[in-house]
Amino acid sequence: MDPLHARYPFLAAARESVREADIGLVAIVTGDGRHPAVERGVERVRRALIDGTVRPDPETGRRWDARAELLSYPVARVLVSLVDAPGAVEKYASAEANTAYDRFTDDFRNPDDGLKSTSAKAISLDALLAEFDLASDVEELRDGYRIDVGRYLPLSSNLDGESWTLATRQLAGGTVKISAAELHELLREAVRQRVAAGLPTRVPDEIREGLTDEVAELEDTFSDVDFSQDIDVLAPDCFPPCVESLMERAQAGESLADHAEFALVSFLASANADTDELLALCGVDSDTTAKSVHYRAKRVGDESGAQYAPPSCETMQAYGECPVADDEDPTTDARCDSISHPLAYYEDALAEAGRAGE
Ligand code: SF4
C-alpha cells in the first residue's frame, strides 16, 4: 500500500487503493472486534471536531499502519455523516484540509529525494496541481504564479479577507497573479471542497448498525464540549489561567502546537473576539503565522453558526495545557475548582465583575 495514499487519502489514486484493498466497509465495521481502521476513523472524527486536525492523537502515542490510516478515511466519512453534532461535516472537511496543508507545505519544503524511507513519501506541487486538474491553469513566474481566473474564483470565494477579491488583484489575459503562499492556500481550499463533496453521505443500514457504538462514543465526547451560551463581551482580564498562559506564550513568539493554537483561537472566537482582536491577542507578528491563525479564526466560526467549542478542562488537562493541573508548579485559582469548562470560567468571571451582557 502506497504510504502517500495514507497521508493524502482524498487523492483519486488513494480511492483506487481502497478499492484494490478488496475489503469492503461492511466487512470492516461488522467484523469481530474493532478493526484498526474503525478505531482510527473514530479518532480522526474526534480530533477533527475537537482539535481541528486529523493527525493521530499525540497523547495516546498510538501509531497506525498505512492500511489502517488509508481505510480510516472512508470510515471517518461515514461516521461524520452519522454523528449528531453541529457543523460536523464543515469541521471535518476543514480539519482534513488543515492536516493536508501542513503535510504538503512540509513536503514542498522537503521534497522526496529518493533517499527517504518509503514511509515518508512526499507529494510534489506539480502532482498536487495535476490532482486538482490545475496543472494547465497555473503558470509559474519568477516571483509567484498566475492562475486562470475561472479556477481562481471558486477556490478563493470562501476565503476570508479583502486580499482575495478580484478588485485587489493584478488581472492580465484572464489570469490572476498570486504568491506561492496563496497558491498553497488555494490548494488547501481545493482539498476542503473535495472532502466536503458528497457529505453527509447516505449510509446503508448494515453499516449504520455496525457503527452504533462508535457514533454513541463520539456523541458522548462532543456533549462534553457542547457549550452553546452566547458570550458577547471581550474582557481579557476575565480569561481563565489556561488561556492567559497560551496568550502569553503566543505573544512571546512561541509556535504553539496544533491543539494549543486551536484551544486559544476557539476560546477567543467564543469570547467574542473579531479577527483583528484575535490576531492582536495572539501576538501575531509574521505573515505566515497570521495566515495560519486567520485561517483557524475563520474556520472555528462557520457560516452556519456551528462554532467550534474550545476544549473542556478535562481535555486541556489531558493535553497538559491546564496550569491548575500542573504537577510541578500548579496555579491556584478557586474558580477553577467549581467549573469544568474554560468558557464557564469566563462567564462566571464576567458575571462576578458585573460585565456580562455589557
Ligand atoms: S481548570 Fe479549566 S479553566 Fe481552569 S485553568 Fe484549567 S483548563 Fe483552564
Side-chain angles (χ1 to χ4, degrees):
M1 194 160 282
D2 189 336
L4 190 69
H5 298 161
R7 299 180 72 222
Y8 300 105
F10 53 84
L11 298 177
R15 270 205 303 272
E16 200 48 45
S17 271
V18 171
R19 261 193 289 277
E20 283 167 8
D22 202 23
I23 173 164
L25 263 187
V26 174
I28 291 174
V29 305
T30 59
D32 286 341
R34 197 180 262 189
H35 193 285
V38 174
E39 196 79 52
R40 171 67 180 127
V42 169
E43 181 189 61
R44 211 171 180 106
V45 174
R46 180 174 51 76
R47 290 273 283 155
L49 272 64
I50 294 180
D51 298 328
T53 176
V54 297
R55 282 184 187 276
D57 189 343
E59 282 303 305
T60 65
R62 179 138 184 212
R63 300 249 170 258
W64 306 94
D65 63 25
R67 186 180 169 88
E69 189 70 29
L70 175 62
L71 294 175
S72 72
Y73 178 69
V75 173
R77 291 179 64 85
V78 168
L79 285 169
V80 87
S81 301
L82 293 174
V83 291
D84 180 13
V89 166
E90 293 81 0
K91 292 172 186 175
Y92 172 69
S94 293
E96 287 282 359
N98 272 341
T99 307
Y101 172 89
D102 289 345
R103 288 178 175 159
F104 67 65
T105 49
D106 188 47
D107 283 356
F108 298 165
R109 283 191 298 271
N110 305 290
D112 195 345
D113 56 7
L115 301 173
K116 279 183 176 175
S117 79
T118 51
S119 62
K121 205 168 164 192
I123 198 164
S124 67
L125 175 61
D126 286 348
L128 204 54
L129 289 174
E131 176 70 26
F132 291 107
D133 203 18
L134 284 163
S136 58
D137 295 315
V138 173
E139 181 197 353
E140 186 168 4
L141 310 172
R142 265 189 319 183
D143 59 345
Y145 294 86
R146 287 209 155 270
I147 179 171
D148 183 272
V149 67
R151 304 305 304 278
Y152 174 83
L153 286 173
L155 289 174
S156 63
S157 62
N158 201 34
L159 299 177
D160 200 21
E162 269 289 286
S163 65
W164 291 106
T165 60
L166 270 191
T168 63
R169 294 276 155 182
Q170 282 181 33
L171 250 172
T175 64
V176 183
K177 173 103 189 294
I178 54 175
S179 67
E182 287 168 340
L183 179 60
H184 302 167
E185 291 289 327
L186 294 178
L187 285 169
R188 164 155 55 187
E189 178 60 12
V191 175
R192 192 194 67 77
Q193 290 181 8
R194 178 175 289 185
V195 172
L199 287 178
T201 183
R202 200 189 68 74
V203 182
D205 289 346
E206 203 175 354
I207 294 177
R208 177 189 297 270
E209 280 155 25
L211 290 171
T212 305
D213 290 350
E214 287 74 13
V215 170
E217 180 185 321
L218 283 167
E219 287 176 351
D220 250 18
T221 312
F222 303 144
S223 67
D224 174 44
V225 296
D226 183 16
F227 203 92
S228 53
Q229 281 109 319
D230 274 345
I231 294 174
D232 50 14
V233 181
L234 179 66
D237 50 322
C238 292
F239 287 171
C242 49
V243 175
E244 271 182 8
S245 156
L246 289 173
M247 272 194 331
E248 277 168 21
R249 285 160 53 195
Q251 287 169 5
E254 180 179 332
S255 169
L256 298 176
D258 273 356
H259 68 263
E261 185 181 278
F262 177 80
L264 178 57
V265 171
S266 55
F267 179 92
L268 294 176
S270 299
N272 206 37
D274 63 26
T275 304
D276 288 342
E277 289 166 331
L278 200 148
L279 292 174
L281 288 166
C282 290
V284 168
D285 61 357
S286 80
D287 267 7
T288 313
T289 318
K291 274 199 160 42
S292 154
V293 172
H294 214 273
Y295 186 81
R296 273 194 196 280
K298 164 98 174 130
R299 294 283 156 222
V300 295
D302 74 15
E303 301 77 8
S304 64
Q307 184 167 294
Y308 276 103
S312 66
C313 295
E314 192 181 350
T315 305
M316 292 293 276
Q317 285 158 15
Y319 282 141
E321 301 292 356
C322 169
V324 170
D326 186 339
D327 285 341
E328 295 186 352
D329 182 21
T331 299
T332 307
D333 190 307
R335 185 170 285 113
C336 284
D337 294 342
S338 61
I339 50 88
S340 59
H341 200 288
L343 282 178
Y345 181 111
Y346 185 48
E347 281 220 323
D348 205 41
L350 286 174
E352 192 177 299
R355 302 180 64 180
E358 251 176 16

